[in-house]
Amino acid sequence: MAQSQPTGAASGDGFLGPASTVAGPRFNRWFVPPAALAVHLCIGMAYGFSVFWLPLSRAIGGKTALACPKAPPLAELTNALTTTTCDWTVADLGWIYTLFFVVLGAAAALFGPWVERNGPRRAGLVATICWCGGMAVSAYGASIHQLWVMWLGSGLIGGIGLGLGYISPVSTLVKWFPDRRGMATGMAIMGFGGGAMIGGPLADLLMKHFASAGGGGVAPTLLTMAGLYLVFMLAGSLGYRTPPPGWAPRGWTPPADNPAILARGYLDVGAAVATPQFWLLWIVLVMNVSASIGIIGVASPMLQEIFGGRLIHHAGLAFTKFAEADKKAAATVGAAFVGLLSLFNIGGRFIWASLSDRIGRRWTYAVFFLLGGALYGLIVPWSAGAVALAAFLAAFCVIVSMYGGGFATVPAYLADLFGARYVGAIHGVLLTAWSTAGVLGPQLVNNMRQSAIDRGVPRAEIYTPIFWALAAMLAVGFVANLLIRPVNPSRLRADAAPVAAGAPVPGVDPTSHAVGPALILAWLGVLTPIAWGVWITVTKAAALFN
């Protein structure tokens, strides 16, 4: 995905090093977003790994799972790790999903400074090896029916690849697009949200193709996808380029009246983490993610429990009275709801992040919290009680768009506060907020839901207190965001001054914006699978409106 060979490599730096990654004189910055998308679309399959759970949970028993002997929970889990005589449960397999995001946050925080020192190309290559290698290890684990091997492969090794792959293009995009920070990071992180939209249907097709191989066709599917992802991630990682110090887009200078909080300098990761601004933003991200991630996890059963027979043209039929055929029909509608939410999650990442370039990051998050709080506190409970399906669907589409938008906007927010130089490393540490929210949000929603069910609360009524609790979390985030102020300029280190009025910088010709065949192919390479995934998702989501 590169247009020119890098120049100015330092002696001993090597092809993968940061000096060798500096853009050549005819490089077009619009090559960088498709390179980032190529990586993020692959690692985003982490969201879609649940497509493997059901076939793996029947790998030995076939059509009916062969249950393991009953034992205390810890003993059951320990046995599941090494058994070859009975099937794993979905809960056993679900630990891989938990490991993904715990390890992602830890790896991003731990290796963020390493990524900044070694550049995006080397980091992207290591991410490629870990993610694709982890899938290959998991394929082996599935073939020999060893759960601990799958945990090690995708959960641990793949999780490290997730962390490195997620942050590797962030700093690079921010530096190439100081005029459109939100849009640039939104495009890449949109890819992470869209990875499952492509990978899930692809995995389903491959498992059907490899069904005769046994084990639900999971092992050869994982191996095939690892090979495909290897090609895409290598193309993306090797396509990364960084601008020379002091480069700026032609004719652009930071406007004094920009509503964003634009730092005139930078802090390194240690200094940034020591500021109250960092921890306020950490709280902002925890609250924004927690308020959505838990409810997304129960989206399908929530819709079925609240609206019951109205989903399948049997108004008045409660969810608990569903016959087997009703359950299957309602599950199809529930899956369509999840697909619809995924589209708004993806679109929100680009739209909200791009909007933040105009109104500023602080105001964008203020909208997230005020609008989200109103939807959770008023509109969603009303639409659930009034059985107003259209209003309920619309409210959740907006909520989920802001969930995705929060992820995409936060790298630009960090760059505005702490400068662009070390934003990748700072972003890596901030992602521990994601790991925290990944536990806090689902635990809150699942525990409140189960407690209400245990108390005998009607299924259609169990979610209103949950909605109010999530609105309260957004109120906390609103206050934290309101308290964020620019970093004291005396604490910032002087950064390289941007060129004045688009004057040329050694190494890059600011007039090199021509759209050539290579650039068109680069964008087609990522937009084609995205279009296929959108078409598949829209087709499934149509079940909501039948």
Side-chain angles (χ1 to χ4, degrees):
M1 292 189 182
Q3 188 182 25
S4 63
Q5 293 299 318
T7 59
S11 177
D13 180 68
F15 176 70
L16 298 177
S20 295
T21 313
V22 175
R26 300 297 299 171
F27 185 75
N28 188 326
R29 65 175 177 165
W30 288 97
F31 273 94
V32 181
L37 273 168
V39 173
H40 272 230
L41 286 171
C42 295
I43 63 175
M45 179 54 189
Y47 276 132
F49 251 66
S50 59
V51 73
F52 299 121
W53 297 168
L54 191 58
L56 284 171
S57 70
R58 300 183 306 211
I60 292 178
K63 292 185 177 180
T64 304
L66 181 61
C68 293
K70 287 292 182 183
L74 182 59
E76 278 190 6
L77 182 60
T78 303
N79 180 53
L81 287 171
T82 57
T83 184
T84 58
T85 58
C86 57
D87 280 312
W88 306 315
T89 66
V90 171
D92 296 333
L93 293 158
W95 277 99
I96 297 174
Y97 187 80
T98 301
L99 284 169
F100 273 152
F101 297 107
V102 171
V103 176
L104 183 156
L110 182 62
F111 295 113
W114 179 85
V115 172
E116 292 289 358
R117 288 195 306 270
N118 289 273
R121 185 183 292 169
R122 181 171 285 153
L125 182 61
V126 174
T128 300
I129 294 170
C130 288
W131 179 245
C132 299
M135 289 186 74
V137 171
S138 282
Y140 175 67
S143 69
I144 63 172
H145 201 75
Q146 288 292 288
L147 183 60
W148 72 269
V149 177
M150 297 197 69
W151 281 18
L152 172 66
S154 289
L156 181 58
I157 300 173
I160 293 171
L162 277 177
L164 290 174
Y166 192 88
I167 65 173
S168 62
V170 167
S171 179
T172 303
L173 285 164
V174 167
K175 290 168 185 173
W176 274 117
F177 291 87
D179 52 335
R180 304 178 189 181
R181 286 173 173 172
M183 181 211 69
T185 56
M187 277 191 289
I189 292 173
M190 176 185 73
F192 189 82
M197 183 181 67
I198 301 166
L202 176 61
D204 188 52
L205 290 173
L206 288 171
M207 285 189 291
K208 290 175 181 176
H209 176 73
F210 292 119
S212 60
V218 173
T221 295
L222 282 168
L223 202 57
T224 302
M225 293 182 73
L228 291 172
Y229 287 164
L230 179 68
V231 173
F232 266 80
M233 293 182 73
L234 280 176
S237 299
L238 298 179
Y240 288 150
R241 297 290 189 273
T242 55
W247 181 86
R250 183 178 179 81
W252 179 83
T253 54
D257 60 347
N258 193 303
I261 303 174
L262 291 173
R264 300 300 193 270
Y266 69 92
L267 293 180
D268 62 26
V269 62
V273 171
T275 64
Q277 286 89 341
F278 177 87
W279 292 105
L280 286 169
L281 191 53
W282 191 91
I283 294 170
V284 163
L285 190 61
V286 168
M287 294 299 108
N288 187 60
V289 175
S290 296
S292 297
I293 197 170
I295 210 74
I296 289 172
V298 296
S300 178
M302 174 184 69
L303 188 74
Q304 296 174 59
E305 288 169 341
I306 290 175
F307 291 95
R310 288 182 178 269
L311 298 176
I312 52 175
H313 309 295
H314 289 296
L317 180 64
F319 173 78
T320 52
K321 303 297 184 181
F322 276 6
E324 196 62 35
D326 297 327
K327 291 179 181 178
K328 290 180 179 179
T332 299
V333 178
F337 180 49
V338 173
L340 184 67
L341 293 182
S342 72
L343 286 178
F344 278 84
N345 178 13
I346 296 159
R349 292 172 186 242
F350 178 72
I351 293 169
W352 286 110
S354 298
L355 179 65
S356 77
D357 288 329
R358 293 185 174 273
I359 68 174
R361 267 44 98 169
R362 193 157 170 255
W363 277 107
T364 302
Y365 271 95
V367 172
F368 291 164
F369 293 128
L370 287 173
L371 181 55
L375 291 171
Y376 269 134
L378 299 172
I379 304 301
V380 172
W382 166 80
S383 60
V387 202
L389 179 60
F392 187 88
L393 295 176
F396 267 99
C397 286
V398 175
I399 287 169
V400 171
S401 79
M402 295 187 293
Y403 162 76
F407 277 122
T409 304
V410 81
Y413 206 161
L414 288 169
D416 290 348
L417 286 168
F418 306 116
R421 179 171 294 195
Y422 294 107
V423 69
I426 300 168
H427 185 222
V429 180
L430 189 75
L431 288 180
T432 56
W434 186 0
S435 299
T436 302
V439 175
L440 177 61
Q443 286 297 316
L444 174 71
V445 171
N446 292 335
N447 289 340
M448 289 185 68
R449 177 179 178 272
Q450 191 59 50
S451 175
I453 292 173
D454 292 343
R455 295 196 311 271
V457 177
R459 293 298 180 97
E461 301 173 13
I462 64 178
Y463 289 96
T464 296
I466 296 175
F467 298 147
W468 289 339
L470 298 178
M473 297 181 81
L474 292 176
V476 173
F478 177 78
V479 173
N481 183 60
L482 199 65
L483 293 173
I484 296 175
R485 293 291 185 271
V487 175
N488 189 327
S490 65
R491 299 192 60 183
L492 299 173
R493 301 182 187 179
D495 213 339
V499 294
V505 172
V508 175
D509 177 1
T511 66
S512 59
H513 298 304
V515 178
L519 185 60
I520 293 172
L521 286 174
W523 278 100
L524 282 176
V526 293
L527 291 179
T528 300
I530 290 174
W532 180 76
V534 168
W535 180 78
I536 293 290
T537 304
V538 168
T539 302
K540 291 181 178 178
L544 277 168
F545 308 101
N546 290 338

